[in-house]
Amino acid sequence: MGSVSLRNVSKSFGSVDVIRNVSLDIEEGEFCVLIGPSGSGKSTLLRIIAGLEEVSSGEISIANRVVTEEQPKERDIAMVFQTYALYPQMTVRENMGFALKLAKMPKSEIAEKVEKTANMLELEHLLDRLPKDLSGGQRQRVSMGRAIVRNPAVFLFDEPLSNLDAKLRTQVRGEIADLHKSLGTTSIYVTHDQIEAMTLGQKIVVLKDGMIYQCGSPLQLYQEPDNTFVAGFLGSPSINLIDCVVMKDSSGLFAKLPSGDVIKLDQNLAIDDGAKVVVGIRPEHLTVEDSGHKDGLNAVINTIENTGSDMVVMCSLPSFNMTSAFKEQKSLSVGQEISLVPELSTVLVFDEKTGNRIRA
Ligand SMILES: Nc1ncnc2c1ncn2[C@@H]1O[C@H](COP(=O)(O)OP(=O)(O)OP(=O)(O)O)[C@@H](O)[C@H]1O
Ligand SMILES: [Mg+2]
Protein backbone atom coordinates (compact mmCIF):
# COMPACT_ATOMS: atom_id res chain seq x y z
CA MET A 1 0.00 0.00 0.00
CA GLY A 2 1.17 3.53 -0.52
CA SER A 3 0.59 7.21 -0.28
CA VAL A 4 0.71 9.32 -3.42
CA SER A 5 2.16 12.78 -3.53
CA LEU A 6 2.34 15.30 -6.38
CA ARG A 7 4.61 18.33 -6.10
CA ASN A 8 4.14 21.23 -8.50
CA VAL A 9 3.19 18.95 -11.36
CA SER A 10 2.65 20.63 -14.74
CA LYS A 11 2.00 19.16 -18.16
CA SER A 12 1.81 20.83 -21.54
CA PHE A 13 0.98 19.34 -24.90
CA GLY A 14 2.85 21.66 -27.27
CA SER A 15 1.87 25.15 -26.22
CA VAL A 16 -1.26 24.02 -24.36
CA ASP A 17 -0.96 23.88 -20.57
CA VAL A 18 -3.17 21.00 -19.50
CA ILE A 19 -2.04 20.54 -15.88
CA ARG A 20 -0.90 23.65 -14.05
CA ASN A 21 1.23 23.41 -10.94
CA VAL A 22 -0.77 20.75 -9.14
CA SER A 23 0.32 19.70 -5.65
CA LEU A 24 -1.65 17.02 -3.87
CA ASP A 25 -1.18 14.51 -1.06
CA ILE A 26 -3.18 11.31 -0.94
CA GLU A 27 -2.71 9.30 2.20
CA GLU A 28 -2.07 5.60 2.37
CA GLY A 29 -5.39 3.75 2.15
CA GLU A 30 -7.33 6.85 1.17
CA PHE A 31 -10.02 6.89 -1.55
CA CYS A 32 -9.47 10.09 -3.52
CA VAL A 33 -11.82 11.24 -6.28
CA LEU A 34 -10.74 13.62 -9.06
CA ILE A 35 -13.76 15.44 -10.45
CA GLY A 36 -14.16 18.25 -12.95
CA PRO A 37 -15.75 19.12 -16.27
CA SER A 38 -14.72 17.52 -19.55
CA GLY A 39 -11.25 18.65 -20.57
CA SER A 40 -10.26 19.75 -17.06
CA GLY A 41 -7.28 17.36 -17.06
CA LYS A 42 -8.56 14.48 -14.90
CA SER A 43 -7.43 11.66 -17.19
CA THR A 44 -4.14 13.39 -17.91
CA LEU A 45 -3.41 13.71 -14.19
CA LEU A 46 -4.26 10.04 -13.63
CA ARG A 47 -2.08 9.00 -16.60
CA ILE A 48 0.76 11.09 -15.17
CA ILE A 49 0.46 9.23 -11.85
CA ALA A 50 0.39 5.93 -13.76
CA GLY A 51 3.48 6.89 -15.75
CA LEU A 52 1.61 6.69 -19.08
CA GLU A 53 2.27 10.39 -19.57
CA GLU A 54 5.49 12.26 -18.73
CA VAL A 55 5.32 15.44 -16.65
CA SER A 56 6.65 18.69 -18.09
CA SER A 57 7.81 19.63 -14.59
CA GLY A 58 7.25 18.57 -11.00
CA GLU A 59 7.67 15.41 -8.96
CA ILE A 60 5.55 12.34 -8.22
CA SER A 61 6.06 10.00 -5.26
CA ILE A 62 4.32 6.72 -4.57
CA ALA A 63 4.81 5.07 -1.18
CA ASN A 64 7.38 7.76 -0.29
CA ARG A 65 9.51 6.92 -3.32
CA VAL A 66 10.08 9.41 -6.14
CA VAL A 67 8.80 7.70 -9.32
CA THR A 68 8.76 10.65 -11.73
CA GLU A 69 11.23 9.02 -14.10
CA GLU A 70 9.96 5.44 -13.70
CA GLN A 71 8.07 3.34 -16.23
CA PRO A 72 4.43 2.38 -15.43
CA LYS A 73 5.38 -1.19 -14.60
CA GLU A 74 7.91 -0.03 -12.02
CA ARG A 75 5.38 2.09 -10.15
CA ASP A 76 3.36 -0.63 -8.38
CA ILE A 77 0.00 0.71 -9.62
CA ALA A 78 -2.92 -0.92 -11.43
CA MET A 79 -5.32 0.99 -13.63
CA VAL A 80 -8.98 0.29 -14.40
CA PHE A 81 -10.30 1.98 -17.54
CA GLN A 82 -13.73 3.11 -18.72
CA THR A 83 -13.53 0.76 -21.70
CA TYR A 84 -12.46 -2.29 -19.63
CA ALA A 85 -9.53 -2.92 -22.05
CA LEU A 86 -9.87 -6.73 -21.76
CA TYR A 87 -8.06 -9.00 -24.21
CA PRO A 88 -10.93 -10.29 -26.39
CA GLN A 89 -9.33 -13.64 -27.28
CA MET A 90 -8.56 -14.53 -23.65
CA THR A 91 -10.97 -16.04 -21.13
CA VAL A 92 -11.81 -14.25 -17.92
CA ARG A 93 -9.29 -16.47 -16.13
CA GLU A 94 -6.54 -15.65 -18.63
CA ASN A 95 -7.35 -11.95 -18.59
CA MET A 96 -7.16 -11.85 -14.82
CA GLY A 97 -3.92 -13.80 -14.62
CA PHE A 98 -2.14 -12.19 -17.57
CA ALA A 99 -0.09 -9.61 -15.67
CA LEU A 100 1.02 -12.27 -13.18
CA LYS A 101 2.04 -14.56 -16.05
CA LEU A 102 4.10 -11.74 -17.54
CA ALA A 103 5.69 -11.28 -14.13
CA LYS A 104 6.63 -15.00 -14.31
CA MET A 105 4.69 -15.99 -11.21
CA PRO A 106 4.36 -19.79 -10.83
CA LYS A 107 1.21 -21.21 -12.46
CA SER A 108 -0.23 -22.64 -9.25
CA GLU A 109 0.13 -19.31 -7.48
CA ILE A 110 -1.56 -17.48 -10.38
CA ALA A 111 -4.45 -19.96 -10.31
CA GLU A 112 -4.87 -19.46 -6.58
CA LYS A 113 -4.86 -15.65 -6.78
CA VAL A 114 -7.28 -15.61 -9.72
CA GLU A 115 -9.70 -17.98 -7.93
CA LYS A 116 -9.57 -15.95 -4.74
CA THR A 117 -10.19 -12.65 -6.54
CA ALA A 118 -12.93 -14.19 -8.69
CA ASN A 119 -14.68 -15.33 -5.50
CA MET A 120 -14.41 -11.87 -4.03
CA LEU A 121 -16.02 -10.38 -7.16
CA GLU A 122 -18.51 -13.22 -7.64
CA LEU A 123 -16.98 -14.09 -11.00
CA GLU A 124 -16.09 -17.71 -10.23
CA HIS A 125 -18.80 -19.14 -12.53
CA LEU A 126 -17.59 -16.97 -15.43
CA LEU A 127 -13.88 -17.81 -15.39
CA ASP A 128 -13.93 -19.80 -18.65
CA ARG A 129 -15.98 -17.30 -20.67
CA LEU A 130 -14.68 -14.81 -23.20
CA PRO A 131 -15.30 -11.08 -22.58
CA LYS A 132 -17.80 -10.93 -25.48
CA ASP A 133 -20.07 -13.33 -23.54
CA LEU A 134 -20.25 -11.08 -20.48
CA SER A 135 -22.51 -8.17 -19.54
CA GLY A 136 -21.02 -4.69 -19.17
CA GLY A 137 -21.06 -4.94 -15.38
CA GLN A 138 -19.34 -8.32 -15.47
CA ARG A 139 -16.67 -7.01 -17.85
CA GLN A 140 -15.96 -4.13 -15.53
CA ARG A 141 -15.68 -6.55 -12.59
CA VAL A 142 -13.15 -8.62 -14.59
CA SER A 143 -11.21 -5.47 -15.32
CA MET A 144 -11.19 -4.69 -11.58
CA GLY A 145 -10.22 -8.30 -10.85
CA ARG A 146 -7.27 -7.97 -13.16
CA ALA A 147 -6.11 -4.97 -11.13
CA ILE A 148 -6.77 -6.63 -7.76
CA VAL A 149 -4.78 -9.84 -8.41
CA ARG A 150 -1.66 -7.75 -8.79
CA ASN A 151 -2.04 -6.44 -5.24
CA PRO A 152 -0.67 -3.01 -6.20
CA ALA A 153 0.15 -0.12 -3.88
CA VAL A 154 -2.38 2.08 -5.67
CA PHE A 155 -5.50 1.57 -7.80
CA LEU A 156 -6.22 4.13 -10.48
CA PHE A 157 -9.74 4.25 -11.94
CA ASP A 158 -10.68 6.35 -14.97
CA GLU A 159 -14.49 6.67 -15.11
CA PRO A 160 -14.95 2.90 -14.69
CA LEU A 161 -18.75 3.08 -14.48
CA SER A 162 -19.57 5.44 -17.31
CA ASN A 163 -20.39 2.67 -19.82
CA LEU A 164 -22.92 1.04 -17.48
CA ASP A 165 -26.61 1.83 -17.22
CA ALA A 166 -27.86 3.76 -14.19
CA LYS A 167 -28.94 0.77 -12.10
CA LEU A 168 -25.75 -1.20 -12.72
CA ARG A 169 -23.69 1.88 -12.03
CA THR A 170 -25.18 2.15 -8.54
CA GLN A 171 -24.52 -1.54 -7.94
CA VAL A 172 -20.91 -1.58 -9.13
CA ARG A 173 -20.28 1.68 -7.26
CA GLY A 174 -21.33 -0.13 -4.08
CA GLU A 175 -19.01 -3.01 -4.95
CA ILE A 176 -16.07 -0.64 -5.42
CA ALA A 177 -16.81 0.93 -2.03
CA ASP A 178 -16.97 -2.53 -0.40
CA LEU A 179 -13.72 -3.58 -2.07
CA HIS A 180 -11.99 -0.51 -0.80
CA LYS A 181 -13.27 -1.24 2.69
CA SER A 182 -11.96 -4.80 2.61
CA LEU A 183 -8.67 -4.25 0.75
CA GLY A 184 -7.84 -0.77 2.03
CA THR A 185 -5.77 -0.01 -1.06
CA THR A 186 -5.04 3.64 -1.84
CA SER A 187 -7.36 4.54 -4.73
CA ILE A 188 -7.56 7.46 -7.12
CA TYR A 189 -10.82 7.59 -9.00
CA VAL A 190 -11.72 9.91 -11.88
CA THR A 191 -15.34 10.77 -12.55
CA HIS A 192 -17.48 13.65 -13.67
CA ASP A 193 -20.44 12.27 -11.73
CA GLN A 194 -20.89 14.19 -8.51
CA ILE A 195 -22.95 11.44 -6.88
CA GLU A 196 -20.05 9.01 -7.41
CA ALA A 197 -17.65 11.60 -6.04
CA MET A 198 -19.74 12.36 -2.95
CA THR A 199 -20.49 8.71 -2.13
CA LEU A 200 -17.07 7.16 -2.82
CA GLY A 201 -14.59 9.90 -2.01
CA GLN A 202 -12.94 10.38 1.34
CA LYS A 203 -11.10 13.20 -0.35
CA ILE A 204 -12.45 15.02 -3.40
CA VAL A 205 -10.24 17.10 -5.68
CA VAL A 206 -12.11 19.52 -7.93
CA LEU A 207 -10.19 20.27 -11.13
CA LYS A 208 -10.85 22.95 -13.71
CA ASP A 209 -8.53 24.08 -16.49
CA GLY A 210 -5.80 21.83 -15.08
CA MET A 211 -5.85 23.52 -11.68
CA ILE A 212 -7.15 22.39 -8.29
CA TYR A 213 -10.08 24.60 -7.36
CA GLN A 214 -10.54 22.86 -4.00
CA CYS A 215 -9.61 19.68 -2.22
CA GLY A 216 -11.39 18.35 0.85
CA SER A 217 -13.92 15.93 2.28
CA PRO A 218 -17.31 15.69 0.52
CA LEU A 219 -19.00 17.61 3.33
CA GLN A 220 -16.33 20.31 3.40
CA LEU A 221 -16.74 20.97 -0.31
CA TYR A 222 -20.50 20.97 0.00
CA GLN A 223 -20.81 23.16 3.08
CA GLU A 224 -17.70 25.30 2.72
CA PRO A 225 -16.96 25.73 -0.99
CA ASP A 226 -13.97 28.01 -1.63
CA ASN A 227 -15.40 29.50 -4.82
CA THR A 228 -18.50 29.75 -7.01
CA PHE A 229 -17.19 27.02 -9.30
CA VAL A 230 -17.03 24.37 -6.56
CA ALA A 231 -20.33 25.62 -5.09
CA GLY A 232 -22.00 25.24 -8.48
CA PHE A 233 -20.32 21.99 -9.46
CA LEU A 234 -21.35 19.93 -6.42
CA GLY A 235 -24.92 19.57 -5.21
CA SER A 236 -28.06 18.55 -7.04
CA PRO A 237 -30.18 20.46 -7.85
CA SER A 238 -27.50 23.15 -8.23
CA ILE A 239 -26.99 25.93 -5.76
CA ASN A 240 -28.76 29.22 -6.48
CA LEU A 241 -26.11 31.84 -7.31
CA ILE A 242 -27.45 35.38 -7.37
CA ASP A 243 -25.65 38.63 -8.22
CA CYS A 244 -26.21 41.06 -5.36
CA VAL A 245 -24.96 44.37 -3.99
CA VAL A 246 -23.90 44.69 -0.37
CA MET A 247 -25.58 47.23 1.88
CA LYS A 248 -23.94 47.99 5.19
CA ASP A 249 -25.41 50.25 7.89
CA SER A 250 -25.69 50.46 11.65
CA SER A 251 -28.34 47.73 11.64
CA GLY A 252 -26.05 45.22 9.94
CA LEU A 253 -24.95 43.75 6.64
CA PHE A 254 -27.40 42.93 3.83
CA ALA A 255 -27.39 41.70 0.24
CA LYS A 256 -29.70 43.49 -2.17
CA LEU A 257 -31.07 41.05 -4.73
CA PRO A 258 -31.94 41.96 -8.34
CA SER A 259 -35.63 41.89 -7.27
CA GLY A 260 -34.99 44.66 -4.75
CA ASP A 261 -35.48 42.25 -1.85
CA VAL A 262 -32.79 42.23 0.81
CA ILE A 263 -31.46 39.32 2.83
CA LYS A 264 -29.44 39.61 5.98
CA LEU A 265 -25.83 38.44 5.91
CA ASP A 266 -23.46 37.47 8.69
CA GLN A 267 -22.29 40.90 9.89
CA ASN A 268 -18.76 39.62 10.48
CA LEU A 269 -18.12 39.04 6.77
CA ALA A 270 -15.18 41.07 5.49
CA ILE A 271 -17.00 43.19 2.85
CA ASP A 272 -17.74 46.86 2.26
CA ASP A 273 -20.92 48.72 1.51
CA GLY A 274 -21.61 48.72 -2.25
CA ALA A 275 -19.47 45.63 -2.96
CA LYS A 276 -20.67 43.40 -5.76
CA VAL A 277 -21.06 39.84 -4.56
CA VAL A 278 -22.62 36.55 -5.56
CA VAL A 279 -24.89 35.08 -2.92
CA GLY A 280 -25.19 31.29 -2.88
CA ILE A 281 -28.19 29.51 -1.38
CA ARG A 282 -28.61 25.75 -1.77
CA PRO A 283 -32.13 24.67 -2.86
CA GLU A 284 -32.55 22.61 0.31
CA HIS A 285 -31.91 25.73 2.39
CA LEU A 286 -34.88 27.59 0.92
CA THR A 287 -38.30 26.75 2.29
CA VAL A 288 -41.53 27.43 0.47
CA GLU A 289 -44.05 29.32 2.65
CA ASP A 290 -47.34 31.11 2.03
CA SER A 291 -46.98 34.30 0.06
CA GLY A 292 -46.26 37.42 2.15
CA HIS A 293 -44.00 35.73 4.73
CA LYS A 294 -42.07 38.47 6.58
CA ASP A 295 -38.60 36.92 6.00
CA GLY A 296 -39.41 35.59 2.56
CA LEU A 297 -38.79 36.56 -1.06
CA ASN A 298 -41.95 36.81 -3.14
CA ALA A 299 -41.86 34.40 -6.04
CA VAL A 300 -44.08 32.58 -8.53
CA ILE A 301 -43.83 28.84 -9.13
CA ASN A 302 -42.67 27.95 -12.67
CA THR A 303 -42.14 24.21 -12.53
CA ILE A 304 -42.69 21.46 -10.00
CA GLU A 305 -40.80 18.16 -10.12
CA ASN A 306 -42.05 15.54 -7.73
CA THR A 307 -40.11 12.27 -7.50
CA GLY A 308 -42.23 10.96 -4.63
CA SER A 309 -39.40 11.29 -2.14
CA ASP A 310 -38.34 14.83 -3.09
CA MET A 311 -40.05 17.94 -4.38
CA VAL A 312 -38.09 20.40 -6.50
CA VAL A 313 -39.81 23.71 -7.13
CA MET A 314 -38.42 26.22 -9.63
CA CYS A 315 -39.60 29.76 -9.08
CA SER A 316 -39.23 33.08 -10.81
CA LEU A 317 -38.54 36.32 -9.03
CA PRO A 318 -38.23 39.68 -10.78
CA SER A 319 -35.19 39.21 -13.11
CA PHE A 320 -33.88 35.89 -11.75
CA ASN A 321 -34.90 32.35 -10.86
CA MET A 322 -34.48 30.24 -7.76
CA THR A 323 -34.90 26.56 -6.99
CA SER A 324 -36.10 25.07 -3.73
CA ALA A 325 -35.89 21.38 -2.85
CA PHE A 326 -37.41 19.57 0.11
CA LYS A 327 -38.47 16.16 1.36
CA GLU A 328 -41.96 16.76 2.65
CA GLN A 329 -44.95 16.71 0.28
CA LYS A 330 -46.68 20.07 -0.12
CA SER A 331 -49.70 20.88 -2.20
CA LEU A 332 -48.38 23.47 -4.64
CA SER A 333 -49.29 24.42 -8.19
CA VAL A 334 -47.62 26.12 -11.12
CA GLY A 335 -48.37 29.85 -11.19
CA GLN A 336 -48.93 29.97 -7.44
CA GLU A 337 -47.48 32.96 -5.55
CA ILE A 338 -45.35 31.89 -2.62
CA SER A 339 -42.58 33.12 -0.33
CA LEU A 340 -39.10 31.59 -0.46
CA VAL A 341 -37.50 31.79 2.96
CA PRO A 342 -33.71 31.35 3.10
CA GLU A 343 -32.05 29.71 6.07
CA LEU A 344 -29.73 32.59 6.87
CA SER A 345 -26.96 30.65 8.61
CA THR A 346 -26.32 28.71 5.38
CA VAL A 347 -26.09 31.66 2.98
CA LEU A 348 -22.71 31.76 1.20
CA VAL A 349 -21.15 34.95 -0.15
CA PHE A 350 -18.57 35.16 -2.96
CA ASP A 351 -16.64 38.00 -4.55
CA GLU A 352 -18.29 38.73 -7.89
CA LYS A 353 -14.97 39.36 -9.71
CA THR A 354 -12.79 36.51 -8.43
CA GLY A 355 -15.54 34.05 -7.52
CA ASN A 356 -13.72 33.42 -4.24
CA ARG A 357 -15.62 32.90 -1.03
CA ILE A 358 -15.82 35.82 1.39
CA ARG A 359 -15.52 34.60 4.95
CA ALA A 360 -15.97 36.11 8.38
N1 LIG B 1 -2.11 13.78 -26.26
C1 LIG B 1 -2.67 14.98 -26.21
N2 LIG B 1 -2.28 15.98 -27.04
C2 LIG B 1 -2.84 17.20 -26.98
N3 LIG B 1 -3.79 17.56 -26.11
C3 LIG B 1 -4.22 16.62 -25.25
C4 LIG B 1 -3.70 15.28 -25.25
N4 LIG B 1 -4.32 14.58 -24.29
C5 LIG B 1 -5.21 15.44 -23.71
N5 LIG B 1 -5.15 16.65 -24.29
C6 LIG B 1 -5.94 17.86 -23.91
O1 LIG B 1 -5.79 18.05 -22.54
C7 LIG B 1 -6.99 18.52 -21.94
C8 LIG B 1 -7.35 17.63 -20.77
O2 LIG B 1 -7.70 16.36 -21.26
P1 LIG B 1 -8.14 15.17 -20.31
O3 LIG B 1 -8.37 13.98 -21.16
O4 LIG B 1 -7.16 15.04 -19.21
O5 LIG B 1 -9.51 15.74 -19.73
P2 LIG B 1 -10.60 15.03 -18.81
O6 LIG B 1 -10.80 15.92 -17.63
O7 LIG B 1 -10.21 13.62 -18.54
O8 LIG B 1 -11.89 15.12 -19.72
P3 LIG B 1 -13.12 14.04 -19.92
O9 LIG B 1 -14.03 14.29 -18.75
O10 LIG B 1 -13.73 14.49 -21.19
O11 LIG B 1 -12.54 12.67 -19.97
C9 LIG B 1 -8.02 18.54 -23.05
O12 LIG B 1 -8.16 19.85 -23.49
C10 LIG B 1 -7.42 17.66 -24.11
O13 LIG B 1 -7.83 18.05 -25.37
MG1 LIG C 1 -11.05 11.77 -19.06
Short mmCIF file of all heavy atoms in Angstrom, two decimals, residues 242-243 257-261 297-300 315-322:
data_model
loop_
_atom_site.label_atom_id
_atom_site.label_comp_id
_atom_site.label_asym_id
_atom_site.label_seq_id
_atom_site.Cartn_x
_atom_site.Cartn_y
_atom_site.Cartn_z
N ILE A 242 -26.74 34.16 -7.01
CA ILE A 242 -27.45 35.38 -7.37
C ILE A 242 -26.53 36.59 -7.22
O ILE A 242 -25.90 36.78 -6.17
CB ILE A 242 -28.67 35.57 -6.42
CG1 ILE A 242 -29.49 34.28 -6.35
CG2 ILE A 242 -29.56 36.72 -6.89
CD1 ILE A 242 -30.02 34.00 -4.97
N ASP A 243 -26.45 37.40 -8.28
CA ASP A 243 -25.65 38.63 -8.22
C ASP A 243 -26.34 39.64 -7.30
O ASP A 243 -27.53 39.95 -7.52
CB ASP A 243 -25.52 39.25 -9.62
CG ASP A 243 -24.63 38.41 -10.52
OD1 ASP A 243 -23.73 37.73 -9.98
OD2 ASP A 243 -24.83 38.43 -11.75
N LEU A 257 -30.88 41.93 -3.58
CA LEU A 257 -31.07 41.05 -4.73
C LEU A 257 -31.56 41.83 -5.94
O LEU A 257 -32.05 42.95 -5.79
CB LEU A 257 -32.10 39.95 -4.38
CG LEU A 257 -31.57 38.77 -3.57
CD1 LEU A 257 -31.23 39.17 -2.15
CD2 LEU A 257 -32.59 37.64 -3.56
N PRO A 258 -31.47 41.25 -7.14
CA PRO A 258 -31.94 41.96 -8.34
C PRO A 258 -33.44 42.33 -8.25
O PRO A 258 -33.90 43.26 -8.89
CB PRO A 258 -31.71 40.96 -9.48
CG PRO A 258 -30.71 40.00 -8.96
CD PRO A 258 -30.88 39.94 -7.48
N SER A 259 -34.19 41.61 -7.43
CA SER A 259 -35.63 41.89 -7.27
C SER A 259 -35.88 43.09 -6.38
O SER A 259 -37.02 43.54 -6.27
CB SER A 259 -36.30 40.66 -6.66
OG SER A 259 -35.66 40.32 -5.44
N GLY A 260 -34.81 43.57 -5.71
CA GLY A 260 -34.99 44.66 -4.75
C GLY A 260 -35.13 44.14 -3.33
O GLY A 260 -34.96 44.88 -2.37
N ASP A 261 -35.42 42.85 -3.19
CA ASP A 261 -35.48 42.25 -1.85
C ASP A 261 -34.09 42.31 -1.21
O ASP A 261 -33.08 42.33 -1.90
CB ASP A 261 -35.86 40.76 -1.94
CG ASP A 261 -37.31 40.57 -2.33
OD1 ASP A 261 -38.19 41.08 -1.63
OD2 ASP A 261 -37.55 39.89 -3.37
N LEU A 297 -38.90 35.87 0.22
CA LEU A 297 -38.79 36.56 -1.06
C LEU A 297 -40.02 36.16 -1.88
O LEU A 297 -40.30 34.96 -2.02
CB LEU A 297 -37.52 36.12 -1.78
CG LEU A 297 -36.25 36.09 -0.93
CD1 LEU A 297 -35.12 35.39 -1.66
CD2 LEU A 297 -35.84 37.52 -0.57
N ASN A 298 -40.74 37.14 -2.37
CA ASN A 298 -41.95 36.81 -3.14
C ASN A 298 -41.58 36.21 -4.48
O ASN A 298 -40.72 36.74 -5.19
CB ASN A 298 -42.80 38.06 -3.36
CG ASN A 298 -43.40 38.52 -2.04
OD1 ASN A 298 -43.74 37.69 -1.18
ND2 ASN A 298 -43.49 39.82 -1.86
N ALA A 299 -42.21 35.11 -4.81
CA ALA A 299 -41.86 34.40 -6.04
C ALA A 299 -43.10 33.71 -6.59
O ALA A 299 -44.10 33.56 -5.90
CB ALA A 299 -40.78 33.36 -5.75
N VAL A 300 -42.98 33.31 -7.87
CA VAL A 300 -44.08 32.58 -8.53
C VAL A 300 -43.54 31.23 -8.99
O VAL A 300 -42.43 31.16 -9.53
CB VAL A 300 -44.60 33.38 -9.75
CG1 VAL A 300 -45.71 32.61 -10.47
CG2 VAL A 300 -45.10 34.74 -9.32
N CYS A 315 -38.78 28.57 -9.22
CA CYS A 315 -39.60 29.76 -9.08
C CYS A 315 -38.98 30.93 -9.81
O CYS A 315 -37.75 31.00 -9.95
CB CYS A 315 -39.68 30.16 -7.60
SG CYS A 315 -40.26 28.85 -6.55
N SER A 316 -39.81 31.87 -10.25
CA SER A 316 -39.23 33.08 -10.81
C SER A 316 -39.50 34.25 -9.88
O SER A 316 -40.56 34.35 -9.26
CB SER A 316 -39.76 33.34 -12.22
OG SER A 316 -41.15 33.41 -12.21
N LEU A 317 -38.47 35.07 -9.77
CA LEU A 317 -38.54 36.32 -9.03
C LEU A 317 -38.25 37.40 -10.07
O LEU A 317 -37.75 37.08 -11.15
CB LEU A 317 -37.48 36.35 -7.92
CG LEU A 317 -37.75 35.42 -6.72
CD1 LEU A 317 -37.29 34.01 -7.00
CD2 LEU A 317 -37.05 35.98 -5.48
N PRO A 318 -38.53 38.66 -9.77
CA PRO A 318 -38.23 39.68 -10.78
C PRO A 318 -36.76 39.60 -11.20
O PRO A 318 -35.88 39.74 -10.38
CB PRO A 318 -38.54 40.99 -10.06
CG PRO A 318 -39.54 40.60 -9.01
CD PRO A 318 -39.18 39.20 -8.59
N SER A 319 -36.50 39.26 -12.44
CA SER A 319 -35.19 39.21 -13.11
C SER A 319 -34.25 38.08 -12.70
O SER A 319 -33.09 38.09 -13.06
CB SER A 319 -34.46 40.56 -13.06
OG SER A 319 -33.94 40.80 -11.80
N PHE A 320 -34.69 37.10 -11.94
CA PHE A 320 -33.88 35.89 -11.75
C PHE A 320 -34.76 34.74 -11.27
O PHE A 320 -35.94 34.93 -10.96
CB PHE A 320 -32.70 36.13 -10.81
CG PHE A 320 -33.08 36.39 -9.37
CD1 PHE A 320 -32.84 35.44 -8.39
CD2 PHE A 320 -33.67 37.59 -8.99
CE1 PHE A 320 -33.19 35.68 -7.07
CE2 PHE A 320 -34.02 37.83 -7.68
CZ PHE A 320 -33.77 36.88 -6.72
N ASN A 321 -34.16 33.55 -11.27
CA ASN A 321 -34.90 32.35 -10.86
C ASN A 321 -34.25 31.70 -9.65
O ASN A 321 -33.05 31.84 -9.45
CB ASN A 321 -34.92 31.32 -12.00
CG ASN A 321 -35.70 31.85 -13.20
OD1 ASN A 321 -36.72 32.51 -13.05
ND2 ASN A 321 -35.18 31.58 -14.38
N MET A 322 -35.03 30.98 -8.89
CA MET A 322 -34.48 30.24 -7.76
C MET A 322 -35.14 28.87 -7.68
O MET A 322 -36.30 28.71 -8.08
CB MET A 322 -34.74 30.98 -6.45
CG MET A 322 -33.79 32.12 -6.18
SD MET A 322 -34.18 32.89 -4.61
CE MET A 322 -32.67 32.65 -3.76
#
